[in-house]
C-alpha cells in the first residue's frame, strides 16, 4: 500500500487527532500550573487567568516548555468535561488533574480510538509495495574480479617479493 493511500486512510481520524491535541493542551496547562504553584485557573472563552503567587491573565498561556494553551480550546474542553455551559469555568489543580485523567480514560475506551487501531492494523497488514523493482529470481552471473598487481606479476613469470 503506497504512502498516499495510507495517509488517506488516516484522514478519517482527524477529529480524533484534534481532540487528542486539545486534551494535551489541558495536560500542559495542569503541568504549567503545578510548575508555577498556581492554586486555580479561570477559563473563559476569551481569556485564561492563572491564580497563584502572581496572577496571569491572557488569551493564551505559553508554558516554560513552549506549549501554547489558548482560551477558546481550553473553554470548549472544560464545557465538555464539566458537562454544562457557563461563562467561565473555575478549576483547581486537583480537579484539572482528575478531569484530565477521566478524559484520557474515556479516550482510551472510545470507539474512535478502536477505529484508529483497526486502521493501523490494516495498514500494517497491507502488502508492502517495493520502492524499487526487484531483480529476477535467477542469480546474476558474477563477473570475474579484475586481477590486482600481484596477479599481473604472476602472469609475467615474476615471483612476488616475500
Amino acid at each position: 500500500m503506497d504512502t498516499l493511500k495510507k495517509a488517506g486512510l488516516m484522514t478519517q481520524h482527524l477529529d480524533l487527532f484534534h481532540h487528542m491535541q486539545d486534551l494535551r493542551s489541558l495536560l500542559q496547562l495542569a503541568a504549567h500550573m503545578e510548575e508555577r504553584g498556581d492554586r486555580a485557573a479561570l477559563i473563559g472563552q476569551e481569556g485564561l487567568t492563572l491564580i497563584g503567587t502572581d496572577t496571569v491573565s491572557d488569551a493564551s498561556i505559553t508554558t516554560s516548555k513552549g506549549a501554547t494553551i489558548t482560551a477558546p480550546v481550553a473553554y470548549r474542553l472544560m464545557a465538555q468535561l464539566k458537562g454544562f455551559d457557563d461563562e467561565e469555568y473555575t478549576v483547581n489543580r486537583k480537579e484539572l488533574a482528575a478531569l484530565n485523567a477521566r478524559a484520557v480514560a474515556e479516550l482510551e475506551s472510545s470507539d474512535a480510538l478502536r477505529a484508529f487501531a483497526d486502521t493501523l492494523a490494516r495498514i500494517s497488514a497491507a502488502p508492502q509495495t517495493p520502492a524499487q523493482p526487484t531483480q529476477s529470481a535467477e542469480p546474476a552471473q558474477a563477473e570475474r574480479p579484475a586481477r590486482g598487481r600481484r596477479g599481473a606479476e604472476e602472469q609475467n613469470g615474476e615471483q612476488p617479493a616475500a
Side-chain angles (χ1 to χ4, degrees), residues 77-123:
L77 284 170
M78 290 307 295
Q80 290 173 359
L81 295 174
K82 287 203 171 209
F84 61 89
D85 290 331
D86 204 347
E87 289 181 33
E88 188 173 59
Y89 297 97
T90 304
V91 64
N92 63 32
R93 288 190 316 214
K94 273 189 170 181
E95 182 184 12
L96 187 55
L99 289 170
N100 279 327
R102 189 185 86 211
V104 168
E106 287 173 359
L107 183 63
E108 287 175 340
S109 65
S110 72
D111 291 338
L113 196 60
R114 275 192 291 280
F116 177 65
D118 292 345
T119 300
L120 287 179
R122 280 196 326 242
I123 288 172

Side-chain angles (χ1 to χ4, degrees), residues 2-59:
D2 68 337
T3 305
L4 186 57
K5 286 182 182 177
K6 289 178 184 179
L9 287 172
M10 290 298 162
T11 59
Q12 65 184 329
H13 304 292
L14 286 177
D15 288 340
L16 173 67
F17 297 153
H18 289 293
H19 184 65
M20 289 172 63
Q21 185 177 15
D22 291 349
L23 285 175
R24 184 174 181 201
S25 72
L26 274 190
L27 291 168
Q28 292 165 330
L29 178 61
H32 185 66
M33 288 176 66
E34 183 74 30
E35 181 181 291
R36 286 177 29 97
D38 294 328
R39 294 184 306 276
L42 301 174
I43 301 171
Q45 290 182 358
E46 297 180 14
L48 298 167
T49 302
L50 302 180
I51 302 165
T53 52
D54 63 332
T55 300
V56 175
S57 188
D58 206 340

Side-chain angles (χ1 to χ4, degrees), residues 102-161:
R102 189 185 86 211
V104 168
E106 287 173 359
L107 183 63
E108 287 175 340
S109 65
S110 72
D111 291 338
L113 196 60
R114 275 192 291 280
F116 177 65
D118 292 345
T119 300
L120 287 179
R122 280 196 326 242
I123 288 172
S124 298
Q128 299 296 319
T129 308
Q132 298 176 356
T134 57
Q135 294 179 352
S136 69
E138 295 179 26
Q141 185 71 14
E143 289 185 26
R144 186 173 177 178
R147 292 188 171 209
R149 181 176 171 186
R150 183 172 180 183
E153 289 172 350
E154 288 174 357
Q155 278 183 345
N156 295 338
E158 298 176 17
Q159 294 291 324

